[in-house]
Amino acid sequence: MVPFTPGLLRCGKSCRLRWINYLRPDLKRGNFTEEEDELIINLHSLLGNKWSLIATRLPGRTDNEIKNYWNTHIKRKLLSLGIDPRTHRPLNSSPATKNAAIAITAITISMDNSNSNSNGSSVSPDESQINLELSISPPQQPHQANSGASFDVTKQPPHHQMEGGEGEPTYRLFTAPEVSIKKTLCLCNNLGFKGTCYCSNKMDFSHTQDMYAYYRPLSL
DNA sequence: AATGGCTACAACCGCCGTAGA
DNA sequence: TTCTACGGCGGTTGTAGCCAT
């Protein structure tokens, strides 16, 4: 029940906001931990300014709190490290570097379609149907549609290709068009990718066209 | 002690989507 | 189908507190 004093210049909407952002008993107080910092940065790199979605992954933290924390702390922290907080890319990376055609190799990964139904008709997308293509290439290179061929899902990129500083390979991870970005994030985590994630501009859980994410190793 | 700059964060604003009349 | 009220969201602003001068 929201306390309300007659004559208070508050509408229901601002009372609700006050409750959600400040009065709720389950809110976590205190400073953000290093783990929370890292989680926010990684989620932001994947989701953009979707603060409410980011907040769902941080129990006890509100979207408003995370948004404020981002604007007052993390933004500055990333800038001091030479990282553009909007794109999560190095600030001084030249367009020539970014556009260089440096495709080295490609590892195509797909989940086994073991759950496809027997009559051959298409089923709704879930983990059993997701096809991923992982390639080492600049983010600006256009995305070619996944062939859909199946490969060993447990195969991970060679460790040495995830190391390095400026100009190191970027892992681009494509999903099939029907796969949401949320699903992509889960798969990236499950596949054990470490590092900073860069994303398509069209970040929306409901948006399922041209979903892809870029990964680079954290060098913080 | 006064003042100005800076920081942190609560609150506000405007827009959009949706439920229901 | 249209209208209205409301909730949810992201961007922005207001302001209290701190610190240096």
Side-chain angles (χ1 to χ4, degrees):
Chain A
M1 194 65 184
V2 178
F4 185 80
T5 305
L8 199 63
L9 297 176
R10 294 278 185 274
C11 63
K13 190 173 180 173
S14 59
C15 286
R16 175 191 153 271
L17 212 61
R18 171 83 171 162
W19 171 260
I20 289 174
N21 289 327
Y22 194 74
L23 299 174
R24 241 169 54 196
D26 59 327
L27 288 180
K28 192 190 287 185
R29 298 287 178 183
N31 296 333
F32 282 75
T33 65
E34 278 299 315
E35 288 74 23
E36 285 175 315
D37 267 29
E38 194 175 324
L39 184 57
I40 291 168
I41 291 168
N42 283 323
L43 287 171
H44 183 273
S45 71
L46 187 61
L47 302 170
N49 293 357
K50 302 289 184 185
W51 305 116
S52 59
L53 289 177
I54 293 171
T56 63
R57 301 292 294 268
L58 286 102
R61 304 292 190 186
T62 69
D63 54 350
N64 202 42
E65 192 178 11
I66 293 169
K67 179 172 61 182
N68 285 327
Y69 186 67
W70 175 268
N71 287 325
T72 56
H73 292 85
I74 299 180
K75 223 175 184 177
R76 196 177 310 149
K77 177 181 168 182
L78 291 178
L79 284 171
S80 73
L81 292 166
I83 297 169
D84 186 338
R86 192 176 56 85
T87 63
H88 293 256
R89 296 194 62 84
L91 283 167
N92 58 354
S93 63
S94 67
T97 302
K98 285 191 280 189
N99 291 323
I102 58 166
I104 300 168
T105 183
I107 305 164
T108 301
I109 305 169
S110 72
M111 307 294 283
D112 178 38
N113 292 345
S114 57
N115 285 6
S116 57
N117 60 16
S118 54
N119 60 16
S121 63
S122 65
V123 295
S124 60
D126 59 21
E127 281 78 357
S128 70
Q129 287 189 290
I130 292 164
N131 294 314
L132 302 174
E133 180 179 341
L134 178 67
S135 63
I136 304 167
S137 61
Q140 287 72 21
Q141 294 302 305
H143 163 213
Q144 297 299 318
N146 188 323
S147 67
S150 289
F151 293 85
D152 182 8
V153 71
T154 62
K155 190 169 186 176
Q156 292 198 18
H159 181 68
H160 72 275
Q161 289 178 353
M162 293 294 278
E163 301 293 339
E166 182 76 13
E168 75 277 24
T170 294
Y171 288 85
R172 183 164 51 177
L173 194 149
F174 296 128
T175 66
E178 70 272 18
V179 180
S180 72
I181 194 65
K182 187 178 183 180
K183 210 70 88 174
T184 304
L185 174 62
C186 291
L187 278 154
C188 292
N189 291 335
N190 292 341
L191 288 167
F193 290 112
K194 306 291 182 194
T196 303
C197 177
Y198 308 95
C199 309
S200 156
N201 289 330
K202 292 177 282 187
M203 287 297 100
D204 184 328
F205 275 18
S206 63
H207 183 83
T208 60
Q209 295 298 309
D210 296 319
M211 276 302 160
Y212 52 91
Y214 305 111
Y215 283 83
R216 295 184 71 186
L218 274 175
S219 50
L220 303 181

